[in-house]
Amino acid sequence: MLNRRNFLTAAVGVAAATGLAACAKEDDSPAGSTSGGSKALVLGFSQVGSESGWRSANTDSVKSAAKEAGYTLKFSDAQQKQENQISAIRSYITQGVDVIAFSPVVVTGWDAVLKEAKAKKIPVVLTDRSVETSDESLFVTLVGSDFTDEGRRAAKILEKVLEKAGHKGAVKIAQLEGTTGAAPAIERAKGFKEVMEADHADDWKIVVSQTGDFTRAGGKQVMAAFLQSNPDINVLFAHNDDMGIGAIQAIEAAGKKPGKDILIVTIDGVKDGFVAMSEGKINAIVECNPLLGPQLMEVVQKVKDGETVERWIKTKEGDFMQDQAKAALPTRKY
Ligand code: AHR
């Protein structure tokens, strides 16, 4: 995964990849449509799936930004399966696209296919999620959020939520994790734990933690089981809004009040999350912005043109408490 040290390798990685891009342009015959006599840039994009409201907004953003930029977009939905993403990337390599972009479902297991892209001189841009690799030159840059920081922010905002609720005594936390092995699941858990262990070792405890696969159905099912095994849970930290919304249904079905009996912090900030927050059922949301399309297209163009780009282009995000929800709702873009 990316860290600050890796940032320093950007120039080298980009130089290598942009050189590769230039070769690809000469050697390959990209399948782009022509406009005004010049070939449109061809971008192969492999999306994780359609597991959440965040993902739908991200897909819409990528598609509309590619259209706006005049690129030929080859898009595939991997349905949360790594093997589908690897097949899609292989197909883009065979087709000789100009640039490949993808949001990796999990962090490990990419080196082989990324080496195939490198061998064919096709630069790879990561978006949303990062990978773990032994060879940093296998991708040019990541356009996406700092998930570890999102986890830290979730813990910090929980401090405010507890204070506002006048909570006294032990904080018994249930954690709904994202997809096992995915960067946001690993890093959000890490950031949250970091703050918890540093500042709340005596009073906070994660009593139960399991994946809900970033889906509403997963969140509902796992929360129902949590409530059976640990009926004294008083906080829920869900790695995304969708799992939080599913959990709310399970909490209500168990005869408890979400946002009161169980204080809830989620990540994303999709419209449905804001609706639940304005109804008093979610106490705070840490934003993770899915509207990455325009930034991604800019980077793709720069990579194709041989320009230097930063190793990690981070997304700007905010945090929201319940009392801000009603005012913010009408202006939410996703
Ligand atoms: O990678 C971003 C995460 O993936 C979002 O937080 C989640 O909703 C999505 O499924």
Side-chain angles (χ1 to χ4, degrees):
M1 274 175 280
L2 277 178
N3 55 38
R4 286 176 208 289
R5 181 178 54 80
N6 293 341
F7 181 83
L8 299 172
T9 63
V12 178
V14 171
T18 50
L20 301 179
C23 294
K25 195 178 165 197
E26 282 171 18
D27 300 343
D28 297 337
S29 304
S33 60
T34 51
S35 74
S38 65
K39 274 207 166 105
L41 186 153
V42 183
L43 173 65
F45 185 90
S46 168
Q47 180 61 288
V48 168
S50 44
E51 72 281 3
S52 62
W54 190 100
R55 191 62 56 196
S56 311
N58 180 249
T59 293
D60 291 349
S61 174
V62 168
K63 286 185 174 172
S64 64
K67 195 169 174 202
E68 178 79 11
Y71 299 165
T72 299
L73 178 69
K74 294 176 179 290
F75 181 93
S76 67
D77 175 337
Q79 299 176 328
Q80 298 240 73
K81 291 198 174 72
Q82 185 175 35
E83 61 267 31
N84 292 346
Q85 286 203 295
I86 291 174
S87 304
I89 294 168
R90 285 216 167 101
S91 146
Y92 298 147
I93 296 169
T94 308
Q95 292 172 62
V97 300
D98 294 311
V99 180
I100 292 171
F102 79 114
S103 173
V105 61
V106 289
V107 290
T108 55
W110 299 103
D111 279 18
V113 73
L114 294 183
K115 278 180 185 156
E116 291 168 32
K118 186 176 176 182
K120 290 286 177 189
K121 308 180 191 321
I122 300 175
V124 174
V125 172
L126 301 179
T127 177
D128 165 33
R129 300 180 180 181
S130 192
V131 299
E132 274 173 16
T133 173
S134 53
D135 180 354
E136 296 291 329
S137 76
L138 293 179
F139 68 94
V140 180
T141 182
L142 164 68
V143 180
S145 305
D146 184 337
F147 297 134
T148 308
D149 199 50
E150 288 175 353
R152 289 188 200 110
R153 283 159 50 205
K156 294 310 280 179
I157 210 161
L158 176 59
E159 291 171 352
K160 288 192 196 162
V161 165
L162 290 164
E163 194 188 326
K164 198 154 196 290
H167 183 91
K168 299 270 177 281
V171 178
K172 297 183 180 177
I173 305 167
Q175 177 172 237
L176 276 169
E177 302 161 28
T179 303
T180 304
I186 298 167
E187 294 166 16
R188 287 171 184 168
K190 181 173 162 244
F192 188 89
K193 200 169 163 218
E194 200 180 286
V195 174
M196 190 177 87
E197 288 181 350
D199 302 337
H200 303 284
D202 297 337
D203 51 338
W204 292 17
K205 191 170 181 216
I206 296 180
V207 292
V208 67
S209 183
Q210 204 180 303
T211 181
D213 213 13
F214 279 132
T215 66
R216 244 174 238 212
K220 184 177 178 184
Q221 194 191 332
V222 176
M223 190 68 197
F226 283 173
L227 290 166
Q228 289 275 329
S229 60
N230 294 74
D232 54 350
I233 292 162
N234 48 27
V235 165
L236 168 66
F237 168 40
H239 286 189
N240 79 345
D241 291 345
D242 281 84
M243 291 191 295
I245 291 165
I248 286 169
Q249 294 167 11
I251 293 166
E252 287 175 335
K256 297 194 180 207
K257 283 205 170 71
K260 295 219 159 43
D261 299 329
I262 299 184
L263 303 171
I264 302 179
V265 173
T266 64
I267 297 181
D268 273 359
V270 296
K271 265 209 180 103
D272 286 355
F274 267 80
V275 169
M277 192 155 67
S278 65
E279 290 169 352
K281 297 179 179 183
I282 291 180
N283 301 81
I285 295 181
V286 169
E287 187 182 40
C288 177
N289 189 348
L291 306 181
L292 303 176
Q295 242 178 336
L296 175 65
M297 299 313 146
E298 250 178 62
V299 169
V300 161
Q301 187 66 59
K302 283 185 180 167
V303 167
K304 176 79 180 5
D305 293 346
E307 288 179 37
T308 301
V309 297
E310 287 177 16
R311 183 69 175 160
W312 184 0
I313 298 159
K314 284 193 199 174
T315 320
K316 289 200 181 81
E317 291 156 347
D319 301 329
F320 297 86
M321 291 287 285
Q322 205 174 67
D323 52 13
Q324 299 168 281
K326 280 205 175 88
L329 188 53
T331 60
R332 294 305 292 167
K333 292 200 178 71
Y334 51 91

